[in-house]
Each structure stands twice: as structure tokens, then as C-alpha cells.
Amino acid sequence: MILRLGGEVPEPVTLIRTLSGWGLGLRAAHETAGRLSRGEIVPLGLTGAPARDDQMRILNGPGIGASFPEASAGPGGNTP
């Protein structure tokens, strides 16, 4: 998952609780909120997260842009 936001995180406590509930440590979730507020793009791998559509719906609620990169193509543009 890729998270992005330009500016202040609108609901930082909600975001931190959500990410830590999905398997990201509390410190890492807090650091993620800080990075987002600085305008950084933050890639995450969450082991306990719900389905992608649910992740996007939940995270877009507090104003975070969540997306998932497509599987990258191998050499020559073919997927393995």
C-alpha cells in the first residue's frame, strides 16, 4: 500500500490506531503519520489489514490517499 497526504493529518490518532491494529507497530504508525504530515509518500506492507477495498475506504475516511501499486512487469514487460 502507498499512503500520501500533503499537509497535516486530519485525524492522526485514528490513523495511528488503525495502522497499529493492522500490524504496524505503534512507533512505526506514529512515524508514518509524521511522514505523511511532511508530505512524504509512505509505502507500507501490513500483515493484519483487511481487503484492499476496505483499506482504501477506511483510510480515505480520515483524508489519507491510499493506493496499491500494480504488480511490476518483468524484463521486457512480461509478468512472471
Side-chain angles (χ1 to χ4, degrees), residues 14-32:
T14 300
L15 174 63
I16 291 166
R17 286 182 179 163
T18 299
L19 294 177
S20 65
W22 289 352
L24 194 62
L26 187 58
R27 179 175 289 167
H30 191 275
E31 290 171 358
T32 297

Side-chain angles (χ1 to χ4, degrees), residues 1-2 19 22-25 42-49 55 68:
M1 167 188 338
I2 307 279
L19 294 177
W22 289 352
L24 194 62
V42 183
L44 294 175
L46 302 169
T47 58
Q55 290 178 52
F68 294 88

Side-chain angles (χ1 to χ4, degrees), residues 4-70:
R4 62 178 52 91
L5 171 76
E8 187 175 324
V9 177
E11 297 179 28
V13 173
T14 300
L15 174 63
I16 291 166
R17 286 182 179 163
T18 299
L19 294 177
S20 65
W22 289 352
L24 194 62
L26 187 58
R27 179 175 289 167
H30 191 275
E31 290 171 358
T32 297
R35 290 178 64 192
L36 288 169
S37 68
R38 293 188 298 273
E40 293 182 38
I41 296 172
V42 183
L44 294 175
L46 302 169
T47 58
R52 287 183 177 192
D53 289 343
D54 291 333
Q55 290 178 52
M56 291 177 65
R57 179 183 50 78
I58 291 166
L59 291 172
N60 287 331
I64 306 299
S67 62
F68 294 88
E70 296 298 319

